[in-house]
Amino acid sequence: MIKHLLSIDQLSPSQIELVLKTADSFREVGTRTIKKVPILRGRTVCNLFFESSTRTRISFELAAKRLSADVINFTGDARSSLAKGESFKDTAQTLQAMGVDAIVVRHSSAGAPHRLSRWVEASVINAGDGAHEHPTQALLDLYSIREHFPSFDGLRVGIVGDILHSRVARSDVAALTKMGSQVTLVAPPTLIPPAIDSWGAEISYDLEEVLPKLDVVYLLRVQKERQNEQLVPSLREYATFWGLDRRRVDLMKPEAIIMHPGPMNRGVEIAADVADLERSIIIDQVTNGVAVRMSLLYLMLGAADRALEEVPVG
Amino acid sequence: MDRFSTSVPISGSSTVKAVVLESSDIDRAMKRMAHEILERNHGADGLVLAGIRRRGVPLAERLGNEIERIEGIRPPVGALDVSFYRDDIAIRQPADVGQTALPFDVAGKIVVLVDDVLYTGRTVRAAIDALVDFGRPRAVQLAVLIDRGHRELPIRADYIGKNLPTSSREAVDVRLAETDGADSVVITEGPS
């Protein structure tokens, strides 16, 4: 297995399959009374979060604890002194000196996890860097899709919303196209990034035209904190043109599913009642996130170079 | 890593030295073990079987069938994957993690663990740890098709299909119809 997970691009389709298949076994562990296995006893995982996060940090923390690893949480503010390169490096060296085995890092600057990986011996896992990538979100999304469809090949996935600022969209497009799915990005022109041609996805500006063709409708969070950038006139207008309400759900294929990385803005990108529909798998995504992160930590912290070999079990 | 190869052939590089058991021999051994299990436990009451993945699972199913034929009651059969309880993650990582499925409550039961080959005993140690996470069995017993010696832990089998003294340079391949297309047990010599 790879030493660091910085970007989806590092993973081959067979490595992605291995992560997902191993996550199946951890899903089962999550259904037990004792939801903990001893395999990473004595290892230490540090959650190094320079940007606010609740669910991703908790998910990683739970994943590490259920593997019996020790967990330390280091939370910094990217706008404080830690944003300066030298301080970031000092933090890294401090963690290195304490002997951590894995560092899960979130940072507002794209490329921060990559830089960190060159400073430390530990495995580095990118838990979101600026508008760059969020590879573990993409893996848990793949896992969640795989529970509903037999194959990624030819699957049509629409990602709707703020593509411009979304690391989730970037990682999901990379992962889904790698596995053979067709991705359509649906957004107002102001929220489509300039270099979109290189993503390998189709673009649409018309949600209602695209909806009937999709197997998966993936809604991105409207980043309310970016309202002052004036990219969308108002939240109400966003909901009118881009929000998924009951009327639009009726345009979807009967077997199509609805996903969202959370946290949701009910009434903006997703209508309150739509979020609770049977075909909305948003809660499953959260459950699967723990299993997929357990799978990654297990595969990455084991004997590094052997994971894809057929090693006999005796 | 040769020492771990108790059940899966090293692709391409090993040579078959001897066929130890043929299909009919395996059948007879399983029938005898089923009788021994029933004799020792005075019947099938409170008995459950847990096969250790992978090849322990079809063997546990077969023991279940034999016990049903003899006693008229089929003990519940489950599957145990021990990957997350192993002690060798730092030196070896199995690519093929399976799922545990125990369709019974182990608390208060006599659990017979079933595996194809007993070698170092480390897999069985992991299996006992995995099992007790599900509850407190009344007793845990061990049934294996082949005991090839070379124990590294104080573990022994209660029911043995065949004792097979081997050198640690050799590998014992158990092939089963359910997993490999046909039944046989062969000794191979891998690259040293």
Side-chain angles (χ1 to χ4, degrees):
Chain A
M1 201 61 190
I2 52 172
K3 162 115 182 178
H4 308 292
L5 179 59
L6 310 173
S7 161
I8 283 291
D9 291 339
Q10 293 173 273
L11 294 169
S12 67
S14 64
Q15 284 175 315
I16 290 176
E17 287 289 358
L18 177 67
V19 172
L20 303 184
K21 182 174 175 293
T22 307
D24 281 336
S25 301
F26 286 115
R27 263 307 292 262
E28 184 276 316
V29 171
T31 65
R32 300 179 188 174
T33 313
I34 297 176
K35 298 175 178 58
K36 190 176 180 115
V37 292
I39 193 68
L40 291 188
R41 225 164 23 145
R43 308 296 181 94
T44 306
V45 177
C46 176
N47 288 320
L48 181 58
F49 277 61
F50 293 105
E51 196 182 71
S52 65
S53 161
T54 308
R55 62 187 62 216
T56 303
R57 191 186 59 73
I58 287 176
S59 181
F60 266 110
E61 181 167 354
L62 199 54
K65 285 180 169 169
R66 286 186 176 172
L67 292 165
S68 303
D70 295 310
V71 183
I72 46 179
N73 289 306
F74 185 108
T75 308
D77 185 334
R79 284 168 203 85
S80 75
S81 61
L82 285 165
K84 297 165 192 162
E86 203 53 37
S87 296
F88 185 36
K89 188 171 185 178
D90 281 344
T91 307
Q93 287 173 339
T94 302
L95 294 171
Q96 172 71 35
M98 289 177 178
V100 302
D101 298 288
I103 301 174
V104 177
V105 61
R106 167 166 292 193
H107 202 285
S108 56
S109 300
H114 193 266
R115 173 171 281 210
L116 178 64
S117 72
R118 282 180 281 150
W119 290 331
V120 294
E121 288 294 308
S123 285
V124 174
I125 299 176
N126 182 357
D129 59 334
H132 178 224
E133 280 230 38
H134 193 354
T136 62
Q137 177 73 43
L139 291 169
L140 78 87
D141 289 338
L142 287 184
Y143 186 90
S144 305
I145 291 170
R146 179 172 161 276
E147 289 189 311
H148 292 266
F149 298 97
S151 166
F152 294 110
D153 203 33
L155 209 65
R156 297 211 46 172
V157 181
I159 301 179
V160 186
D162 185 355
I163 314 292
L164 179 63
H165 298 103
S166 177
R167 52 193 173 212
V168 174
R170 195 173 291 258
S171 289
D172 269 335
V173 170
L176 285 161
T177 53
K178 197 183 282 272
M179 301 309 282
S181 301
Q182 276 181 280
V183 184
T184 305
L185 301 169
V186 191
T190 48
L191 293 178
I192 298 273
I196 198 73
D197 291 344
S198 64
W199 286 33
E202 292 169 32
I203 317 288
S204 170
Y205 305 116
D206 186 345
L207 179 60
E208 290 183 13
E209 190 263 326
V210 173
L211 276 177
K213 303 174 193 163
L214 300 176
D215 300 300
V216 178
V217 179
Y218 197 105
L219 304 168
L220 296 172
R221 184 174 72 91
V222 171
Q223 304 191 13
K224 286 181 178 169
E225 61 273 24
R226 298 191 191 279
Q227 267 303 294
N228 55 4
E229 291 177 30
Q230 304 268 307
L231 296 167
V232 177
S234 70
L235 292 178
R236 181 182 291 186
E237 182 157 327
Y238 185 93
T240 306
F241 287 95
W242 309 98
L244 191 67
D245 56 17
R246 279 309 282 266
R247 187 180 59 80
R248 289 191 175 128
V249 169
D250 291 338
L251 299 174
M252 291 168 56
K253 289 187 196 174
E255 70 278 12
I257 56 171
I258 300 165
M259 300 174 69
H260 191 296
M264 286 184 280
N265 298 302
R266 285 181 193 248
V268 185
E269 68 268 12
I270 188 165
D273 55 341
V274 170
D276 300 324
L277 291 176
E278 182 96 14
R279 62 164 76 200
S280 154
I281 61 160
I282 298 164
I283 292 300
D284 295 336
Q285 287 173 269
V286 177
T287 308
N288 294 339
V290 178
V292 168
R293 287 170 177 128
M294 287 173 81
S295 169
L296 265 175
L297 286 169
Y298 167 68
L299 293 170
M300 290 176 69
L301 294 184
D305 49 344
R306 296 268 184 85
L308 285 174
E309 282 177 32
E310 279 298 318
V311 181
V313 179
Chain B
M1 58 166 275
D2 190 25
R3 58 204 298 264
F4 297 107
S5 345
T6 58
S7 56
V8 181
I10 297 165
S11 53
S13 52
S14 55
T15 50
V16 173
K17 282 177 71 182
V19 178
V20 183
L21 297 180
E22 306 209 3
S23 179
S24 55
D25 303 320
I26 295 176
D27 277 352
R28 277 189 285 270
M30 299 305 287
K31 286 191 173 79
R32 175 176 50 78
M33 283 197 282
H35 279 288
E36 287 174 0
I37 290 168
L38 290 169
E39 184 182 12
R40 162 111 172 246
N41 296 300
H42 310 292
D45 200 30
L47 197 68
V48 298
L49 305 176
I52 300 173
R53 281 196 191 275
R54 282 176 71 212
R55 287 181 182 74
V57 178
L59 290 175
E61 293 285 350
R62 291 184 193 189
L63 279 176
N65 295 341
E66 290 299 336
I67 289 170
E68 182 177 20
R69 204 180 48 78
I70 300 160
E71 206 75 348
I73 307 162
R74 193 172 199 280
V77 178
L80 205 54
D81 187 283
V82 305
S83 304
F84 304 145
Y85 295 83
R86 298 194 66 94
D87 60 7
D88 52 7
I89 182 173
I91 52 173
R92 190 183 67 96
Q93 188 163 63
D96 191 20
V97 177
Q99 277 181 69
T100 292
L102 299 177
F104 44 75
D105 185 359
V106 305
K109 300 289 189 339
I110 296 166
V111 181
V112 181
L113 292 173
V114 183
D115 206 358
D116 56 348
V117 179
L118 178 58
Y119 185 24
T120 61
R122 289 178 191 270
T123 300
V124 174
R125 193 284 303 161
I128 295 168
D129 281 352
L131 188 65
V132 298
D133 272 2
F134 288 87
R136 184 176 186 275
R138 180 148 69 88
V140 181
Q141 300 169 0
L142 175 63
V144 296
L145 182 57
I146 302 290
D147 182 350
R148 63 170 293 194
H150 302 282
R151 216 76 77 237
E152 294 171 2
L153 295 171
I155 280 170
R156 61 161 181 77
D158 300 272
Y159 315 102
I160 299 167
K162 186 172 179 57
N163 278 298
L164 194 61
T166 54
S167 100
S168 36
R169 291 189 60 235
E170 296 167 323
V172 177
D173 282 359
V174 172
R175 295 166 189 169
L176 299 174
E178 295 91 330
T179 49
D180 313 277
D183 280 7
S184 69
V185 179
V186 299
I187 295 184
T188 59
E189 185 141 25
S192 51

